[in-house]
């Protein structure tokens, strides 16, 4: 399986106006024309403003599927260019349904592993002047996802993502989104996710907490 990479996008944090103040955000990414070094933490020349919720080894590279762009262009009423959702890699031909947590891909010298869905933040709504955009992303499941980097190296425009190894459990990004936002009391689904070693700890811990709350509720008279 090969996934087309339409663009590699980077950008450093910058100021944007928001509610009568100015905020720092790394949401604005632009395509590059040459090779980029990818480390365990980020792409060279790329950065995040709020490291409490962005970045880190489990969120080294953000990926979004161009297949969703027509839907968002109609919804937002404007033309979108590559990197519109703050993603580092704009891909085509593989949506959240086809991407499995723990899958391993290679692009150029770099080996990636799918780590978790992208959880939309308010800065997307600031960028596109649509306050409900994060909620719409959750409702549609058009979230994108993150890679952790297993092997550092250089990637170049025009290279593809090649599936090296599919995870044996085949739990999709779409499934994780469904359990997190819609089928919140699905015990079987929650158990699958907390037992998935390759899922980022932040999401596993959240699902584990939900299971524990469900058990407490069951014991209440």
């Amino acid at each position: 399986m090969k996934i087309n990479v339409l663009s590699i996008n980077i950008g450093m944090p910058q100021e944007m106006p928001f509610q009568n103040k100015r905020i720092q955000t790394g949401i604005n990414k632009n395509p590059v024309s040459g090779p980029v070094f990818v480390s365990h933490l980020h792409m060279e020349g790329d950065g995040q403003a709020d490291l409490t919720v962005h970045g880190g080894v489990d969120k080294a590279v953000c990926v979004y599927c161009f297949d969703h762009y027509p839907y968002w262009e109609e919804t937002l009423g404007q033309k979108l260019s590559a990197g519109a959702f703050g993603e580092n890699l704009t891909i085509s031909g593989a949506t959240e349904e086809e991407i499995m947590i723990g899958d391993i891909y290679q692009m150029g010298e770099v080996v990636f592993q799918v780590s978790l869905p992208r959880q939309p933040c308010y800065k997307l709504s600031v960028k596109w002047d649509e306050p409900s955009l994060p909620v719409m992303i959750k409702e549609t499941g058009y979230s994108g996802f993150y890679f952790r980097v297993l092997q550092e190296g250089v990637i170049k425009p025009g290279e593809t993502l090649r599936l090296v190894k599919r995870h044996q459990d085949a739990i999709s990004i779409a499934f994780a989104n469904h359990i997190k936002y819609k089928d919140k009391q699905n015990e079987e689904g929650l158990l699958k996710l907390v037992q998935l070693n390759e899922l980022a700890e932040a999401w596993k811990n959240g699902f584990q907490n939900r299971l524990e709350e469900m058990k407490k509720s069951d014991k209440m008279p």
Side-chain angles (χ1 to χ4, degrees):
M1 175 181 173
K2 290 185 178 180
I3 299 174
N4 291 325
V5 179
L6 303 183
S7 69
I8 302 169
N9 316 300
I10 62 174
M12 295 300 292
Q14 56 186 254
E15 283 193 349
M16 290 179 64
F18 175 62
Q19 294 182 349
N20 298 319
K21 61 182 179 180
R22 300 190 70 81
I23 60 170
Q24 286 281 334
T25 176
I27 198 73
N28 296 310
K29 311 291 186 189
N30 295 300
V32 301
S33 57
V36 178
F37 179 77
V38 184
S39 74
H40 290 300
L41 290 177
H42 55 77
M43 290 183 177
E44 186 177 13
D46 189 60
Q48 297 83 31
D50 185 354
L51 297 179
T52 63
V53 292
H54 298 294
V57 294
D58 286 333
K59 299 178 180 178
V61 174
C62 183
V63 188
Y64 201 80
C65 186
F66 188 79
D67 299 26
H68 300 321
Y69 272 46
Y71 172 85
W72 293 120
E73 287 179 341
E74 182 176 354
T75 301
L76 297 172
Q78 53 188 308
K79 186 71 176 175
L80 304 178
S81 57
F85 293 88
E87 73 269 21
N88 299 117
L89 299 178
T90 306
I91 64 172
S92 67
T95 68
E96 291 79 3
E97 298 284 349
E98 289 83 38
I99 300 296
M100 308 298 162
I101 299 166
D103 280 359
I104 296 174
Y105 289 88
Q106 183 160 5
M107 180 179 177
E109 300 174 348
V110 183
V111 178
F112 299 104
Q113 185 175 51
V114 181
S115 53
L116 76 161
R118 192 261 190 88
Q119 189 167 351
C121 76
Y122 78 96
K123 290 178 181 178
L124 277 169
S125 63
V126 176
K127 179 179 175 67
W128 296 111
D129 193 27
E130 177 49 71
S132 61
L133 183 55
V135 173
M136 290 191 286
I137 289 173
K138 293 174 183 179
E139 289 176 346
T140 59
Y142 299 166
S143 65
F145 61 95
Y146 286 105
F147 278 141
R148 60 172 63 93
V149 176
L150 302 183
Q151 177 179 298
E152 297 180 333
V154 174
I155 59 175
K156 303 173 185 176
E159 294 176 330
T160 59
L161 279 165
R162 177 177 62 88
L163 180 64
V164 175
K165 184 178 181 181
R166 170 133 285 175
H167 194 276
Q168 60 184 9
D169 293 341
I171 298 175
S172 69
I173 291 292
F175 180 82
N177 280 331
H178 180 72
I179 297 299
K180 185 171 182 67
Y181 301 121
K182 295 184 177 181
D183 198 4
K184 297 182 179 182
Q185 304 300 306
N186 185 327
E187 184 174 0
E188 181 180 355
L190 289 167
L191 285 169
K192 284 182 179 180
L193 288 161
V194 298
Q195 293 167 1
L196 181 58
N197 291 332
E198 291 76 10
L199 178 62
E201 286 296 322
W203 273 48
K204 276 201 296 185
N205 292 340
F207 290 135
Q208 183 63 52
N209 291 339
R210 194 180 297 175
L211 278 170
E212 292 172 1
E213 289 298 321
M214 289 169 60
K215 289 178 183 177
K216 289 179 183 178
S217 297
D218 289 341
K219 292 179 181 179
M220 291 178 65

